[in-house]
Amino acid sequence: MPSLVILQFAPNESITIYSIAVLFGTGKAPGRPKHVGQTLILGSSVSTTSHEQNIFDFVSNVKTEKTQSFIAFENMYRASTCNSNEKSLSKLVLIDAVVDKIVPPQNTTSLDVTVEEYGSIVLDDNKDTKPLNESEIVSYRNYEHEFYKKLWLLNGLHLKLAYFGLSREIKYIHEILNNQEGLKFAKKSIDSLSKAYRLFSDSNEDLDDFKQTILNRFSLPEIQDEVIRIARNPEIKFSKDERFERPLRLLISANEQVETFKEVLDIVFNNNFDDVDGFTEFKKSQLSNDKSYFYNEFWKVDNYSDKYIQALGN
């Protein structure tokens, strides 16, 4: 059931938070709380939600003269603005966000939720409105840079570590970083991903603290981050423009080293991970031929396929 969270800021900077279950179109709810939600939205400063089109439409259709912000705290690319239209743009300040906190699978018999202590919310700085105060957690930066920095350095490393761990029958991500071989692979991987990010952003940003924070987070045993969970849906995660392919493409085009990418690709081609959700289907549809076929048909490599063969093998 989608939910809408509404924040009301008082002059003394205290915040009142409302959570509304918003039901649309099912006819199963005896009383739909639309009038409640509309009343609260009229007095709100910020509306937040995960990406839900019906909630977005609900918020944008409320008649108010007050300037309001809408933020979708979601991992997808530009979740706040992807469904914008002229009507919504005239009524809402849509702010895209990059959110980061590891939430591992939870104990279904307990109401307690276990998450890591680290958390980050980066809001697009390309807006005059800044509805949330900056803090250790909240910041305003270049959205494009921050989205791909997280997608490649964090999610990309996560994926590479998962398949590295699967190939060695390791169950948890932290166990990989707590042995010499795994830590060496992780450091080489994140260095390579950082180089790709610098090529993309055309910047000299110091990434040392960011990289070390990621390695420290992945080393936490209390997160119990299972490699089989991270490795799921490989056809999406290894697809063109995703966390593995796009940084790899930038590195190959710049004649940079891609040793850790090759190692992961070899693992994917040479193993059957039947317990990983989606891997069997991925194997049948995309990995049943040689790597050249994979480069050209799955990744649509046209201009420098010889470079791929030289760097990654055939």
Side-chain angles (χ1 to χ4, degrees), residues 2 16 40 47 60 77-78 94 121 135 168 222:
T16 303
L40 291 173
S47 300
S60 62
Y77 178 72
R78 292 199 178 275
L94 307 177
I121 299 172
S135 66
R168 288 154 176 81
E222 55 266 34

Side-chain angles (χ1 to χ4, degrees), residues 233-249:
N233 303 321
E235 190 154 356
I236 294 173
K237 293 175 180 176
F238 283 100
S239 65
K240 183 177 175 65
D241 291 328
E242 257 286 346
R243 66 206 69 188
F244 187 90
E245 186 277 332
R246 192 170 180 191
L248 172 62
R249 189 196 327 160

Side-chain angles (χ1 to χ4, degrees), residues 115-171:
V115 298
E116 65 172 336
E117 183 176 348
Y118 176 89
S120 171
I121 299 172
V122 180
L123 301 176
D124 192 353
D125 65 1
N126 190 28
K127 299 285 182 180
D128 294 330
T129 301
K130 293 187 175 182
L132 302 180
N133 291 334
E134 293 195 65
S135 66
E136 290 183 2
I137 295 174
V138 178
S139 61
Y140 292 82
R141 301 178 197 164
N142 182 302
Y143 177 86
E144 291 292 316
H145 288 182
E146 295 302 317
F147 178 84
Y148 287 106
K149 183 167 71 174
K150 182 207 167 189
L151 180 67
W152 297 355
L153 274 68
L154 187 136
N155 300 126
L157 177 63
H158 222 179
L159 179 67
K160 292 169 80 172
L161 288 177
Y163 279 91
F164 179 92
L166 283 171
S167 70
R168 288 154 176 81
E169 299 183 346
I170 297 174
K171 185 175 182 179

Side-chain angles (χ1 to χ4, degrees), residues 44-206:
S44 72
S45 302
V46 182
S47 300
T48 78
T49 180
S50 61
H51 174 67
E52 291 284 353
Q53 179 63 49
N54 53 0
I55 294 182
F56 178 84
D57 292 341
F58 176 62
V59 174
S60 62
N61 284 328
V62 174
K63 294 180 180 180
T64 176
E65 299 300 321
K66 185 176 182 178
T67 299
Q68 295 174 314
S69 300
F70 181 90
I71 305 170
F73 291 112
E74 178 62 67
N75 284 325
M76 70 178 289
Y77 178 72
R78 292 199 178 275
S80 298
T81 59
C82 65
N83 289 304
S84 63
N85 52 48
E86 289 187 13
K87 180 181 177 181
S88 63
L89 288 173
S90 66
K91 300 182 66 176
L92 296 170
V93 179
L94 307 177
I95 303 177
D96 290 310
V98 179
V99 294
D100 186 7
K101 180 177 281 290
I102 298 174
V103 182
Q106 302 295 310
N107 183 348
T108 57
T109 63
S110 172
L111 294 177
D112 293 334
V113 178
T114 302
V115 298
E116 65 172 336
E117 183 176 348
Y118 176 89
S120 171
I121 299 172
V122 180
L123 301 176
D124 192 353
D125 65 1
N126 190 28
K127 299 285 182 180
D128 294 330
T129 301
K130 293 187 175 182
L132 302 180
N133 291 334
E134 293 195 65
S135 66
E136 290 183 2
I137 295 174
V138 178
S139 61
Y140 292 82
R141 301 178 197 164
N142 182 302
Y143 177 86
E144 291 292 316
H145 288 182
E146 295 302 317
F147 178 84
Y148 287 106
K149 183 167 71 174
K150 182 207 167 189
L151 180 67
W152 297 355
L153 274 68
L154 187 136
N155 300 126
L157 177 63
H158 222 179
L159 179 67
K160 292 169 80 172
L161 288 177
Y163 279 91
F164 179 92
L166 283 171
S167 70
R168 288 154 176 81
E169 299 183 346
I170 297 174
K171 185 175 182 179
Y172 295 109
I173 292 290
H174 74 267
E175 294 174 335
I176 299 171
L177 275 74
N178 289 336
N179 71 68
Q180 192 81 13
E181 181 192 27
L183 182 59
K184 181 179 179 181
F185 175 82
K187 288 181 175 179
K188 288 181 67 175
S189 292
I190 202 168
D191 285 344
S192 186
L193 290 161
S194 299
K195 190 165 291 185
Y197 169 74
R198 288 196 181 93
L199 290 169
F200 164 76
S201 62
D202 193 25
S203 71
N204 292 317
E205 180 181 353
D206 186 350

